[in-house]
Amino acid sequence: MIGILGAGQLGRMLALAGIPLGEQFRFLDPDTNAPARQLGTQIQGAFDDDDSLQRLAAGCSVVTYEFENVPVAAAERLAATIPVYPPPAALRASQDRVDEKTFLNKQGIRTAPWVAVNSQADLVAAIAAIGAPGVLKTRRMGYDGKGQMVLRSVTEVEQAWKKLGGQPLIYEGFVSFDRELSCIGVRDRMGNVACYPLIENWHHEGILRLSIAPGPNWNDHLQQQAVANAKQVMATLDYVGVLTIEYFQCGKELVCNEMAPRVHNSGHWSIEGAVCSQFENHVRAITGLPLGATTVNGAAAMLNLIGDFPDLRRVLNTPGVHLHHYGKEPRPGRKIGHLTVVAPDHATLTARITELRQVTGLDKLPSWPM
Ligand code: AMP
């Protein structure tokens, strides 16, 4: 039995990958309608409730988590009696953007220049030190572009403070990147590491819309940098499981944006697009099984379904398309599923995605990377 903190779509897809390996799942989540509830038993409770945590762990061989805002203290308490993978130290390093960037820089990994901001005067000083434009972000709990604002000049300080002030913040230099990439790696209990090819990601309004693997114009030099960084971070944390590191590509350099100690939205294509998916590899890693191959079968992409479902008959009429429904009620801005598109090569993949854009309404977005 595997215990998972969180029963969202990531927990659901972990269970869908782990059940064929003979595993059973128990989830802890306060949500009454959690997407993973059909795939195991769910304990409905808070992540910091000791009794719920004990009930989650009872009889499990290992506990993992599907989101990085699990209270570190709760993960540490569990780790005293049962293996918790990835280790709680990975949560500690990734929950707060200042801790995260401090950790990454210490590993020799380049990030945007940054300064911690606790007052309006700090923000003025940060802009003087780093320059504008820059991005002001909350240190904790930001996701999908929430809790952040781009500042074009020091004249916008008051407006930014009104929006985000009163909580610990970070100001980062604006990176004018060529594209966004992510590296998904996995480390087993013996210390073996495997990484998927770099994935190109395209966001709109802060939300991931499209991932392509391998990223077009895939590049050995960038892949080597990304793999070296992943190995370094995972060795330092004595990591077990899947780790995602997100980057901006600036010419031949990778500038790290953030890391997530978990399976990631930009790796969902791997369910049908890779020899062994990120979900199966995470389950294999944490249960002490050998890792599966991270090779892509041809080329693959992932399109997020956000807000509402398109005409699924038309979607599934496109060759190479697979639907993943998360069992959630449609609601504006909500990730309710995704499509994987597989193809023998990038040209065929592009043609299939172009066809899908019209069917899914994504052709209405103002820009598109391909
Ligand atoms: P985050 O919440 O840090 O993942 O940021 C969400 C998105 O905002 C990223 O995927 C980028 O598209 C953009 N972004 C974040 N930080 C920066 C930055 N320092 N420079 C340029 N764009 C950024």
Side-chain angles (χ1 to χ4, degrees), residues 17-231:
I19 289 167
L21 295 174
E23 291 295 344
Q24 292 185 316
F25 289 84
R26 187 185 295 143
F27 305 92
L28 171 61
D29 199 301
D31 185 357
T32 46
N33 238 344
R37 68 193 180 283
Q38 301 154 333
L39 291 149
T41 44
Q42 184 190 339
I43 293 161
Q44 212 183 318
F47 297 118
D48 58 358
D49 175 52
D50 255 332
D51 177 53
S52 300
L53 289 165
Q54 293 315 320
R55 282 168 57 216
L56 174 76
C60 284
S61 58
V62 59
V63 168
T64 188
Y65 43 90
E66 59 137 35
F67 78 128
E68 62 272 37
N69 290 316
V70 170
V72 178
E76 282 172 343
R77 275 202 304 280
L78 277 177
T81 56
I82 184 173
V84 175
Y85 296 134
L91 287 174
R92 199 176 275 291
S94 56
Q95 285 185 347
D96 175 304
R97 291 185 196 271
V98 165
D99 295 345
E100 181 177 54
K101 289 203 162 58
T102 305
F103 172 80
L104 290 166
N105 294 158
K106 227 181 188 171
Q107 305 304 309
I109 297 173
R110 192 176 151 200
T111 60
W114 58 272
V115 177
V117 168
N118 293 311
S119 67
Q120 215 166 316
D122 281 357
L123 181 54
V124 173
I127 296 172
I130 293 175
V135 190
L136 184 66
K137 301 179 178 177
T138 56
R139 283 173 59 168
R140 287 180 170 270
M141 303 299 268
Y143 69 100
D144 288 349
K146 291 188 174 68
Q148 54 182 274
M149 180 178 164
V150 175
L151 274 88
R152 310 222 164 265
S153 90
V154 76
T155 59
E156 293 175 0
V157 163
E158 229 167 83
Q159 187 195 344
W161 199 254
K162 254 190 210 142
K163 185 175 168 194
L164 296 174
Q167 55 191 325
L169 301 170
I170 182 172
Y171 181 74
E172 300 175 8
F174 191 88
V175 180
S176 61
F177 52 84
D178 302 318
R179 60 177 172 169
E180 292 186 75
L181 297 169
S182 57
C183 175
I184 297 183
V186 57
R187 188 171 185 266
D188 68 15
R189 288 184 178 195
M190 312 286 287
N192 298 303
V193 173
C195 290
Y196 293 88
L198 279 168
I199 304 151
E200 178 168 339
N201 300 312
W202 185 72
H203 299 80
H204 177 67
E205 292 174 342
I207 304 179
L208 181 66
R209 305 292 165 142
L210 171 70
S211 293
I212 305 171
N217 308 314
W218 189 84
N219 174 318
D220 244 350
H221 167 73
L222 293 177
Q223 180 77 19
Q224 279 162 15
Q225 274 185 54
V227 170
N229 289 348
K231 284 187 172 167

